[in-house]
Amino acid sequence: MSTADDPMPLASLSLTHVHYDPRDNISYLCAWLALIPQGLCVVYATLIWSTREIEIALLFAGQLACEALNFALKRFIKEERPPLMNGKGYGMPSSHAQFVSYFAVSMALFLLFRHQPENAGVKRRNHKPMTMLERAVWSVLGLGMAATVAWSRIYLNYHTEKQVLVGCMAGTASAVAWFLFTTAIRRTGWLTWAVDHPVARFLRVRDLVVEEDLCQAGWEKWDDRMMALKGREEKKVH
């Protein structure tokens, strides 16, 4: 038993604790790449709260389901991390690789197949929707980011190549399965019913990002107001 002279040792919250070689600049970069999943969780929470978009909430729900799958797979497979490993717990599959693969593939599926902005490619006075080429470029960049994060786990010796590959496969499969599921609830009308539910209306839940760019919500209204204000000021001058 511990006493006042023999206090209980403190534990470390290792959520953002990353081992890297301080003499290696690439290792240092990989340590920062390892924090991308935590950063994406902050982005999820911020966008859900600020936009109330159901599509973002659904994407995050799928991300949580993907993490639950990773938790179960690790404890079912029980494969250890590499020799002289960094990190605790089982290594198969890589949770980082699975997390970013789900996110990147989900974003690519959304941008290429679900996001259909009105008058795509037509430039209006204060906005031009993303073209298919622009959406394809963003999709490739997202997949490249995911591949870099996954590779960093091998470089930092947290996982073997096989553990990272299986993590990428599990994340990709989760993204495709969740995309098909959300497509089904959209087509059957369940999503429309949910968004129109009194609780959802009270929380100001909306479903606009499928047809308009996220940054566009409210921008045209604001720009029109500023143009009207400038017009009134010009009239006063003349």
Side-chain angles (χ1 to χ4, degrees):
M1 295 180 63
S2 62
T3 64
D5 296 329
D6 182 23
M8 184 73 71
L10 298 177
S12 173
L13 180 61
S14 59
L15 184 63
T16 59
H17 191 68
V18 184
H19 292 278
Y20 72 95
D21 184 353
R23 301 163 297 178
D24 184 351
N25 290 331
I26 297 179
S27 182
Y28 180 67
L29 174 62
C30 289
W32 281 102
L33 290 173
L35 302 181
I36 284 182
Q38 289 90 331
L40 288 176
C41 287
V42 175
V43 172
Y44 273 128
T46 302
L47 289 178
I48 291 172
W49 175 257
S50 61
T51 68
R52 311 300 172 96
E53 281 286 343
I54 190 65
E55 182 69 20
I56 301 175
L58 287 172
L59 182 66
F60 186 48
Q63 189 82 73
L64 295 178
C66 184
E67 284 297 287
L69 174 63
N70 181 267
F71 182 87
L73 287 175
K74 280 189 173 182
R75 283 147 187 81
F76 176 75
I77 300 174
K78 297 182 178 180
E79 182 173 300
E80 299 295 338
R81 293 178 183 269
L84 302 177
M85 62 181 178
N86 290 319
K88 301 177 181 178
Y90 298 117
M92 173 67 85
S94 166
S95 58
H96 276 72
Q98 187 169 330
F99 188 106
V100 293
S101 295
Y102 167 87
F103 177 81
V105 173
S106 293
M107 289 302 301
L109 291 172
F110 170 77
L111 290 172
L112 298 177
F113 298 103
R114 180 168 294 168
H115 184 52
Q116 299 177 351
E118 295 180 342
N119 301 317
V122 178
K123 186 176 181 179
R124 298 194 294 272
R125 176 179 60 81
N126 49 13
H127 179 59
K128 178 184 177 182
M130 283 196 299
T131 64
M132 177 58 76
L133 177 60
E134 290 172 325
R135 284 179 270 156
V137 170
W138 282 111
S139 299
V140 171
L141 289 175
L143 293 170
M145 176 275 295
T148 304
V149 173
W151 166 82
S152 72
R153 305 306 289 171
I154 300 172
Y155 193 89
L156 291 175
N157 201 41
Y158 274 88
H159 295 282
T160 64
E161 290 87 346
K162 183 176 70 172
Q163 291 170 353
V164 166
L165 178 60
V166 173
C168 291
M169 293 171 61
T172 299
S174 298
V176 173
W178 191 253
F179 183 80
L180 294 175
F181 170 74
T182 53
T183 298
I185 63 174
R186 281 183 175 280
R187 291 181 177 178
T188 56
W190 280 102
L191 188 64
T192 301
W193 172 85
V195 172
D196 197 45
H197 191 275
V199 174
R201 291 179 64 84
F202 173 77
L203 294 174
R204 301 295 190 266
V205 177
R206 64 204 68 173
D207 188 24
L208 296 175
V209 75
V210 172
E211 296 181 353
E212 67 178 33
D213 295 340
L214 190 61
C215 63
Q216 184 65 11
W219 166 248
E220 289 184 6
K221 183 177 180 180
W222 168 254
D223 192 51
D224 290 340
R225 180 183 297 180
M226 294 302 294
M227 290 293 292
L229 179 60
K230 291 177 182 179
R232 289 196 296 267
E233 291 176 350
E234 290 176 357
K235 287 181 180 179
K236 289 180 181 179
V237 173
H238 297 295

Coordinates of all heavy atoms in Angstrom, one line a residue, residues 48-77:
I48 N -19.2 19.9 -37.4 CA -20.5 19.5 -37.0 C -21.2 20.6 -36.2 O -22.4 20.9 -36.4 CB -20.5 18.2 -36.2 CG1 -20.0 17.0 -37.2 CG2 -21.8 17.9 -35.6 CD1 -19.7 15.8 -36.4
W49 N -20.5 21.2 -35.3 CA -21.1 22.2 -34.5 C -21.4 23.5 -35.3 O -22.5 24.1 -35.1 CB -20.2 22.6 -33.3 CG -20.7 23.7 -32.5 CD1 -20.2 25.0 -32.5 CD2 -21.7 23.7 -31.5 NE1 -20.9 25.8 -31.6 CE2 -21.9 25.0 -31.0 CE3 -22.6 22.7 -31.0 CZ2 -22.8 25.3 -30.0 CZ3 -23.5 23.0 -30.1 CH2 -23.6 24.3 -29.6
S50 N -20.5 23.9 -36.2 CA -20.7 25.2 -36.8 C -21.6 25.1 -38.1 O -22.3 26.1 -38.4 CB -19.3 25.7 -37.3 OG -18.7 24.8 -38.2
T51 N -21.7 23.9 -38.7 CA -22.5 23.9 -40.0 C -23.8 23.1 -39.8 O -24.7 23.3 -40.5 CB -21.7 23.2 -41.1 OG1 -21.5 21.8 -40.8 CG2 -20.3 23.8 -41.3
R52 N -23.8 22.2 -38.8 CA -25.0 21.3 -38.5 C -25.3 20.5 -39.8 O -26.5 20.1 -39.9 CB -26.2 22.1 -38.1 CG -25.9 23.1 -37.0 CD -25.4 22.5 -35.7 NE -25.0 23.5 -34.8 CZ -25.8 23.9 -33.8 NH1 -27.0 23.5 -33.6 NH2 -25.3 24.8 -32.9
E53 N -24.3 20.2 -40.6 CA -24.6 19.4 -41.8 C -24.7 17.9 -41.5 O -23.8 17.3 -40.8 CB -23.4 19.6 -42.8 CG -23.6 20.9 -43.6 CD -24.6 20.8 -44.7 OE1 -25.1 19.7 -45.0 OE2 -25.0 21.9 -45.1
I54 N -25.8 17.3 -41.9 CA -26.0 15.9 -41.6 C -24.9 15.0 -42.3 O -24.5 13.9 -41.8 CB -27.4 15.4 -42.0 CG1 -27.7 14.0 -41.5 CG2 -27.6 15.5 -43.5 CD1 -27.8 14.0 -39.9
E55 N -24.5 15.4 -43.5 CA -23.5 14.6 -44.2 C -22.2 14.5 -43.4 O -21.5 13.4 -43.3 CB -23.2 15.2 -45.6 CG -22.2 14.5 -46.4 CD -22.8 13.1 -46.9 OE1 -24.0 12.9 -46.9 OE2 -21.9 12.3 -47.3
I56 N -21.8 15.6 -42.7 CA -20.5 15.6 -41.9 C -20.8 14.7 -40.7 O -19.9 13.9 -40.3 CB -20.1 17.0 -41.5 CG1 -19.9 17.8 -42.8 CG2 -18.9 17.0 -40.7 CD1 -19.6 19.3 -42.5
A57 N -21.9 14.8 -40.1 CA -22.2 14.0 -38.9 C -22.2 12.5 -39.3 O -21.7 11.6 -38.5 CB -23.6 14.4 -38.3
L58 N -22.8 12.2 -40.5 CA -22.8 10.8 -40.9 C -21.3 10.3 -41.2 O -21.0 9.1 -40.9 CB -23.6 10.6 -42.2 CG -25.1 10.7 -42.0 CD1 -25.8 10.7 -43.4 CD2 -25.6 9.5 -41.2
L59 N -20.5 11.2 -41.8 CA -19.1 10.8 -42.0 C -18.4 10.5 -40.7 O -17.6 9.5 -40.6 CB -18.4 11.9 -42.8 CG -17.0 11.7 -43.2 CD1 -16.8 10.6 -44.2 CD2 -16.4 13.0 -43.7
F60 N -18.7 11.3 -39.7 CA -18.0 11.1 -38.4 C -18.5 9.8 -37.7 O -17.8 9.1 -37.1 CB -18.3 12.3 -37.5 CG -17.5 12.2 -36.2 CD1 -16.2 11.9 -36.2 CD2 -18.2 12.5 -35.0 CE1 -15.5 11.9 -35.0 CE2 -17.5 12.4 -33.8 CZ -16.2 12.1 -33.8
A61 N -19.8 9.5 -37.9 CA -20.4 8.3 -37.3 C -19.7 7.1 -38.0 O -19.4 6.1 -37.3 CB -21.9 8.3 -37.6
G62 N -19.5 7.1 -39.3 CA -18.8 6.0 -39.9 C -17.4 5.9 -39.5 O -16.8 4.8 -39.3
Q63 N -16.7 7.1 -39.2 CA -15.4 7.1 -38.7 C -15.3 6.4 -37.3 O -14.4 5.6 -37.0 CB -14.9 8.5 -38.5 CG -13.4 8.6 -38.2 CD -12.5 8.5 -39.4 OE1 -12.4 9.4 -40.2 NE2 -11.8 7.4 -39.5
L64 N -16.3 6.7 -36.4 CA -16.3 6.0 -35.1 C -16.5 4.5 -35.3 O -15.9 3.7 -34.5 CB -17.4 6.6 -34.3 CG -17.2 8.1 -33.9 CD1 -18.4 8.6 -33.1 CD2 -15.9 8.3 -33.1
A65 N -17.4 4.1 -36.2 CA -17.6 2.7 -36.5 C -16.4 2.0 -37.0 O -16.1 0.9 -36.6 CB -18.8 2.5 -37.5
C66 N -15.6 2.7 -37.8 CA -14.3 2.2 -38.3 C -13.3 2.0 -37.2 O -12.6 1.0 -37.1 CB -13.8 3.2 -39.3 SG -12.3 2.6 -40.2
E67 N -13.3 3.0 -36.2 CA -12.4 2.8 -35.1 C -12.8 1.6 -34.2 O -12.0 0.9 -33.6 CB -12.5 4.1 -34.2 CG -11.7 5.2 -34.9 CD -10.2 4.9 -35.0 OE1 -9.5 4.9 -33.9 OE2 -9.7 4.6 -36.1
A68 N -14.2 1.4 -34.0 CA -14.6 0.3 -33.3 C -14.2 -1.0 -33.9 O -13.9 -2.0 -33.2 CB -16.2 0.4 -33.1
L69 N -14.3 -1.0 -35.2 CA -13.8 -2.2 -36.0 C -12.4 -2.5 -35.7 O -12.0 -3.6 -35.5 CB -14.1 -2.0 -37.5 CG -13.6 -3.2 -38.4 CD1 -14.3 -4.5 -38.1 CD2 -13.8 -2.8 -39.9
N70 N -11.6 -1.4 -35.8 CA -10.1 -1.6 -35.5 C -9.9 -2.1 -34.1 O -9.0 -3.0 -33.9 CB -9.4 -0.2 -35.7 CG -7.9 -0.3 -35.5 OD1 -7.4 -0.1 -34.4 ND2 -7.2 -0.7 -36.5
F71 N -10.6 -1.6 -33.1 CA -10.5 -2.1 -31.8 C -10.8 -3.6 -31.7 O -10.0 -4.3 -31.0 CB -11.4 -1.3 -30.9 CG -11.4 -1.6 -29.4 CD1 -10.5 -1.0 -28.6 CD2 -12.2 -2.6 -28.9 CE1 -10.4 -1.3 -27.2 CE2 -12.2 -2.9 -27.5 CZ -11.2 -2.3 -26.7
A72 N -11.8 -4.0 -32.4 CA -12.2 -5.4 -32.3 C -11.2 -6.3 -33.1 O -10.8 -7.4 -32.6 CB -13.6 -5.6 -32.9
L73 N -10.7 -5.8 -34.2 CA -9.8 -6.6 -35.0 C -8.5 -6.8 -34.3 O -7.9 -7.9 -34.3 CB -9.5 -5.9 -36.4 CG -10.6 -6.0 -37.4 CD1 -10.3 -5.2 -38.6 CD2 -10.9 -7.4 -37.8
K74 N -8.0 -5.8 -33.6 CA -6.7 -5.9 -32.9 C -6.8 -7.0 -31.8 O -5.8 -7.7 -31.6 CB -6.3 -4.6 -32.3 CG -5.7 -3.6 -33.3 CD -5.1 -2.4 -32.6 CE -4.3 -1.5 -33.6 NZ -3.7 -0.3 -33.0
R75 N -7.9 -7.0 -31.1 CA -8.1 -8.0 -30.0 C -8.5 -9.3 -30.5 O -8.3 -10.3 -29.7 CB -9.1 -7.4 -29.0 CG -8.4 -6.3 -28.1 CD -9.4 -5.2 -27.7 NE -8.6 -4.2 -27.0 CZ -7.9 -3.2 -27.7 NH1 -7.9 -3.2 -29.0 NH2 -7.3 -2.3 -27.0
F76 N -8.9 -9.4 -31.7 CA -9.2 -10.8 -32.3 C -7.9 -11.4 -32.9 O -7.6 -12.5 -32.7 CB -10.3 -10.6 -33.4 CG -10.6 -11.9 -34.1 CD1 -11.3 -12.9 -33.4 CD2 -10.1 -12.1 -35.3 CE1 -11.6 -14.1 -34.1 CE2 -10.4 -13.3 -36.0 CZ -11.1 -14.3 -35.4
I77 N -7.2 -10.6 -33.6 CA -5.9 -11.1 -34.3 C -4.8 -11.2 -33.3 O -4.0 -12.2 -33.4 CB -5.6 -10.1 -35.5 CG1 -6.7 -10.1 -36.5 CG2 -4.3 -10.6 -36.1 CD1 -6.5 -9.0 -37.6

